[in-house]
Amino acid sequence: MQKPKASGSKYVYLMNKKRLIYGLGILCLFVALSHLCLPRQLFNAPYSHIVMDRDGHLLHAGLAKDEQWRFPIPDSVPRKFEQCIIQFEDAHFYKHPGINPFSIWRALKQNSRAGEVVSGASTLSMQTIRLSRNPSERSIKQKCIEAFLALHLEWRYSKEDILKMYCAHAPFGGNVVGLDAASWRYFGKASHRLSWAESACLAVLPNSPGMIHPGRNRHTLRDKRNRLLVKLKEQGIISVSEYQLSLLEDIPAAPERIPSYAPHFASHLKKKHPKQVSFASTLDGTLQRKCLELAHYHYQLLGEKEIQNLAILVLDTKTAEVKAYVGNSTVHAENGFIDMVQRGRSSGSILKPLLYHQQLLVGQLTPEMMVLDIPSYFNGYSPKNFSKTFSGAIKANESLARSLNVPAVRGLQKYGVARFHADLEDMGFSTVTHSSSHYGLPLILGGMDVSLWDLCKVYASMGNSLLSYISNDHLYDQKCIKEPHYLLSSSQKASSFGAHRDIFGAAEVWATLQAMESVKRPTEMGDWESYHSAGSMAWKTGTSFGNKDAWAVGVTPEYTIGIWVGNADGEGRPDIIGASTAGQVLFDIYSYLGPASTFPIPYYDLIERNICKTSGHVATSLCPDQKMEFVPTSSSVSLPCPYHKKVWISESNERVFKHCAAGTQAKDTVWFSLPPQVANYYKESNPSYIPIPKVAEQCPLDQLNHDLALSYPSEHCVIYIPKALNEEKEKTIFSANHRQNDATLFWHIDGTFIAKTEEEHSIAISPQIGMHTVLVMDVNGNQVSQTFEVVN
């Protein structure tokens, strides 16, 4: 018995259901084939690394790994080029599904009549597939494969994405691949700035990049361009006037140089972000080009002195953005490929302001407090000033301004090497790689390497700490600078850039910057020269031992500028001096940037103290000249003035003591008295200084207080005397000071007389290993002694 047929409506319903199921199956199969036939990433070609400035202008581009100029896939295709390439290659691009049947039929007829291939039928989608596969042969089979894959390509990507991929990988002649690279290579501009004529010229190149190339076949290239311009006019895409003007534009004669204004910065970005090829940086393009120009200019000048390399780094003090980054004078210089912004080099005296700040922070200094500048010896280490002279005593801020070495070393000894070593780590110096005992006191004079990157980071942090404190209603937070940021992406911004009281104090920073604004530096001849053009910039220079490194750093509320000059291979030169080399570059950049504003005064972090005008210490009742000064609040722990003393002076202008002043009609007087080892040097630079009178003869000799002092060896001194190249022991220098300039001193070692000195009281000796005692005596019997030890 036959089964009854379904009713008409039910039959139609079932048939439609089957068709729907079949259709969905075919669709699923097509989708599956799309994923199977096309790789997840269509193009695997290497790209050029490109760096854009903060305004989106190309700053640097380099060759890809395969030696091609191939820029990354762009965000969009410029409208003019889009119209040109579509009209030239695929007029129905936005209408077909990846293949154009009408184009295929037309090509078959034309090729059949001609008996050879005279017309192709490839759409832009098919050409994109061909570019991604790069087949070695051109055949009907390959065309069919490309057509099949083009359908899948259209299913996976939008028309806009397909066009972008095509424009990024189309050949434009020679080793130029992609629209963006071609635009820079042939016209020296970004693709969105191309004219209609320039866009048309580039649009015809991928069709036959081997035959048509700027610089040759110019007539052929011009004819093809002009025919495309005619088509654009006929389609109403350009006006008649635009067409006529476009015909007047010339064909490029030869390739242009692609911008390369930041080669070392680009290399640094590649190292930091190895998977990224396109970078939107914070660099100011105009400033970067100016700094590069100045680097080349000074390279020419310094080259005559056999100085090959220099580096420049400019940061925004407020935001920690990198504004300019020049890693070397030029890539063509000797060792010019080395990025000296990141390379660690001997710091010279460039760290002195940081120690000055830390001593202010713990109350060891006030800005005008006297510090000692006398011959000093520290277990065989004897620092010297650049000028080879001593001031005796000098105000702390002036000592920093003059970059005196001896007060800095004495200051580090007082503050503590281990303590300062830890501070440098906290500030962010990545080159602190050894223990504090390894560096010792020479740490402050170049014993530690620093990089220009870290140096600018820390000095920018100082300036920002002060600005942040003021803008934050005179409050500190827990922020401190980490790393300057160089990318515009929010993920790389230095959000932790700010004020942190444990690292930088607003008042102490302000006082340090004030001292740096009056910096003076010695010239090659040793005399003092002041840069009055510095304006409101706080700045500091440094020169490493052996004249191997010259540094300069300047800080304003707007910018922090860092300079390094030297030879990358470490070869020293007499002219490698901070002020005369790095300082000149610093001021050239500062002059270009224009006048700077001044740092605000952090009044809420200052207190008004009564200061002795002469010594700079907190004034006592004995200080005759006093003044009220705003000083950091930390100075509340500073010691009172130790130099103004009450003494008894007789009518014969001799010093007496109260117990022996009877019958002398002596009067008590306040006297500014420095220790003898200080007074002799102080008087040379301060002629108005009057030493305290000598002691009267009627007073007992044991009351002669501090007329004679032993400078070296010091208390508990351990002396190491090295051997010279001829294996003979070298000598160590012992020195003493007497309040009377014409005094004669007699030297004894272990009770044996060894020398007599006049005026200059120094002797060179080579004692045996073991414990010894040195005794020095003047003609009046005044004597001083010290025990010391000599070791291997």
Side-chain angles (χ1 to χ4, degrees), residues 453-520:
W453 179 267
D454 285 346
L455 191 70
C456 289
K457 172 180 64 177
V458 172
Y459 276 96
S461 178
M462 287 181 67
N464 182 270
S465 293
L466 175 53
L467 298 174
S468 177
Y469 173 81
I470 298 295
S471 63
N472 197 33
D473 293 328
H474 302 89
L475 296 174
Y476 288 101
D477 55 31
Q478 293 303 308
K479 297 177 181 178
C480 60
I481 186 172
K482 295 299 182 185
E483 286 293 324
H485 64 281
Y486 42 80
L487 297 180
L488 289 176
S489 59
S490 58
S491 61
Q492 211 267 324
K493 288 186 177 179
S495 57
S496 59
F497 195 70
H500 185 5
R501 186 64 173 82
D502 291 342
I503 297 180
F504 293 116
E508 290 78 11
V509 167
W510 177 77
T512 302
L513 296 176
Q514 288 290 98
M516 291 171 64
E517 283 187 16
S518 58
V519 162
K520 297 178 181 179

Side-chain angles (χ1 to χ4, degrees), residues 46-60:
Y47 296 104
S48 301
H49 283 78
I50 64 171
V51 179
M52 314 298 288
D53 69 13
R54 64 179 304 102
D55 296 319
H57 301 140
L58 182 64
L59 199 60
H60 178 87

Side-chain angles (χ1 to χ4, degrees), residues 723-734:
K723 290 184 178 180
L725 294 176
N726 58 6
E727 294 301 316
E728 293 184 2
K729 289 181 64 177
E730 294 185 350
K731 296 185 177 183
T732 185
I733 305 298
F734 284 9

Side-chain angles (χ1 to χ4, degrees), residues 675-782:
Q677 68 267 38
V678 178
N680 290 342
Y681 294 103
Y682 183 78
K683 187 174 182 179
E684 292 180 8
S685 53
N686 297 271
S688 60
Y689 174 74
I690 302 176
I692 194 168
K694 65 180 182 178
V695 177
E697 293 182 357
Q698 67 267 28
C699 289
L701 291 178
D702 59 1
Q703 297 297 330
L704 292 173
N705 190 16
H706 302 307
D707 274 1
L708 174 62
L710 191 62
S711 299
Y712 187 79
S714 56
E715 186 177 3
H716 307 303
C717 183
V718 178
I719 301 174
Y720 167 73
I721 303 178
K723 290 184 178 180
L725 294 176
N726 58 6
E727 294 301 316
E728 293 184 2
K729 289 181 64 177
E730 294 185 350
K731 296 185 177 183
T732 185
I733 305 298
F734 284 9
S735 62
N737 286 275
H738 198 282
R739 195 178 299 277
Q740 307 300 325
N741 292 333
D742 58 351
T744 299
L745 300 183
F746 303 91
W747 295 76
H748 301 76
I749 297 290
D750 299 331
T752 302
F753 172 76
I754 59 171
K756 179 179 74 171
T757 58
E758 297 177 351
E759 295 184 357
E760 291 293 330
H761 302 297
S762 297
I763 61 171
I765 63 172
S766 183
Q768 298 298 316
I769 295 172
M771 298 296 299
H772 304 276
T773 299
V774 57
L775 183 143
V776 184
M777 180 184 297
D778 65 10
V779 294
N780 295 318
N782 188 24

Side-chain angles (χ1 to χ4, degrees), residues 264-284:
H264 299 92
F265 180 61
S267 297
H268 179 68
L269 292 177
K270 287 166 62 177
K271 182 179 179 181
K272 287 289 186 179
H273 309 275
K275 296 183 179 180
Q276 192 172 338
V277 293
S278 181
F279 301 93
S281 76
T282 61
L283 267 60
D284 182 316

Side-chain angles (χ1 to χ4, degrees), residues 159-296:
K159 290 286 188 180
E160 290 76 13
D161 287 340
I162 294 172
L163 188 59
K164 286 189 291 185
M165 286 189 286
Y166 172 82
C167 290
H169 299 90
F172 284 85
N175 66 339
V176 181
V177 179
L179 170 63
D180 288 339
S183 179
W184 281 104
R185 190 67 170 143
Y186 299 142
F187 294 104
K189 64 176 72 173
S191 58
H192 67 271
R193 296 179 57 226
L194 293 172
S195 66
W196 280 111
E198 292 165 341
S199 298
C201 183
L202 292 182
V204 303
L205 281 179
N207 183 261
S208 51
M211 181 188 71
I212 302 172
H213 187 284
R216 62 178 184 266
N217 301 322
R218 291 169 57 81
H219 293 296
T220 307
L221 179 57
R222 185 189 300 274
D223 291 343
K224 295 195 74 168
R225 182 202 71 175
N226 291 348
R227 286 197 295 270
L228 177 56
L229 290 171
V230 171
K231 188 174 182 180
L232 293 172
K233 178 178 69 95
E234 291 174 347
Q235 294 295 323
I237 296 173
I238 62 175
S239 65
V240 175
S241 60
E242 287 176 320
Y243 167 73
Q244 292 173 341
L245 290 172
S246 296
L247 292 178
L248 298 176
E249 293 189 32
D250 199 4
I251 300 297
E256 301 271 351
R257 290 180 63 89
I258 292 181
S260 181
Y261 298 117
H264 299 92
F265 180 61
S267 297
H268 179 68
L269 292 177
K270 287 166 62 177
K271 182 179 179 181
K272 287 289 186 179
H273 309 275
K275 296 183 179 180
Q276 192 172 338
V277 293
S278 181
F279 301 93
S281 76
T282 61
L283 267 60
D284 182 316
T286 304
L287 178 60
Q288 175 70 15
R289 287 187 288 273
K290 182 63 179 180
C291 288
L292 195 64
E293 176 188 326
L294 287 172
H296 291 171

Side-chain angles (χ1 to χ4, degrees), residues 445-637:
L445 300 183
M448 186 185 85
D449 286 354
V450 299
S451 68
L452 188 60
W453 179 267
D454 285 346
L455 191 70
C456 289
K457 172 180 64 177
V458 172
Y459 276 96
S461 178
M462 287 181 67
N464 182 270
S465 293
L466 175 53
L467 298 174
S468 177
Y469 173 81
I470 298 295
S471 63
N472 197 33
D473 293 328
H474 302 89
L475 296 174
Y476 288 101
D477 55 31
Q478 293 303 308
K479 297 177 181 178
C480 60
I481 186 172
K482 295 299 182 185
E483 286 293 324
H485 64 281
Y486 42 80
L487 297 180
L488 289 176
S489 59
S490 58
S491 61
Q492 211 267 324
K493 288 186 177 179
S495 57
S496 59
F497 195 70
H500 185 5
R501 186 64 173 82
D502 291 342
I503 297 180
F504 293 116
E508 290 78 11
V509 167
W510 177 77
T512 302
L513 296 176
Q514 288 290 98
M516 291 171 64
E517 283 187 16
S518 58
V519 162
K520 297 178 181 179
R521 286 293 176 270
T523 64
E524 296 92 327
M525 300 304 294
D527 56 325
W528 299 109
E529 182 176 274
S530 177
Y531 283 90
H532 297 291
S533 60
S536 57
M537 180 172 66
W539 67 292
K540 178 76 178 72
T541 64
T543 306
S544 68
F545 179 77
N547 295 86
K548 297 179 179 181
D549 306 275
W551 299 90
V553 62
V555 186
T556 73
E558 290 77 28
Y559 296 99
T560 298
I561 309 166
I563 312 294
W564 173 87
V565 174
N567 288 314
D569 60 5
E571 186 176 2
R573 282 287 178 264
D575 291 303
I576 299 180
I577 300 173
S580 58
T581 54
Q584 293 294 334
V585 183
L586 173 69
F587 280 106
D588 283 349
I589 297 174
Y590 175 74
S591 299
Y592 171 77
L593 292 172
S597 60
T598 58
F599 280 101
I601 303 175
Y603 287 107
Y604 286 87
D605 206 32
L606 297 168
I607 57 173
E608 198 171 21
R609 296 296 302 272
N610 196 16
I611 301 297
C612 175
K613 279 187 177 183
T614 307
S615 70
H617 284 258
V618 176
T620 69
S621 58
L622 295 178
C623 297
D625 296 318
Q626 304 178 14
K627 62 178 179 179
M628 299 300 295
E629 281 284 320
F630 282 104
V631 295
T633 54
S634 54
S635 68
S636 59
V637 298

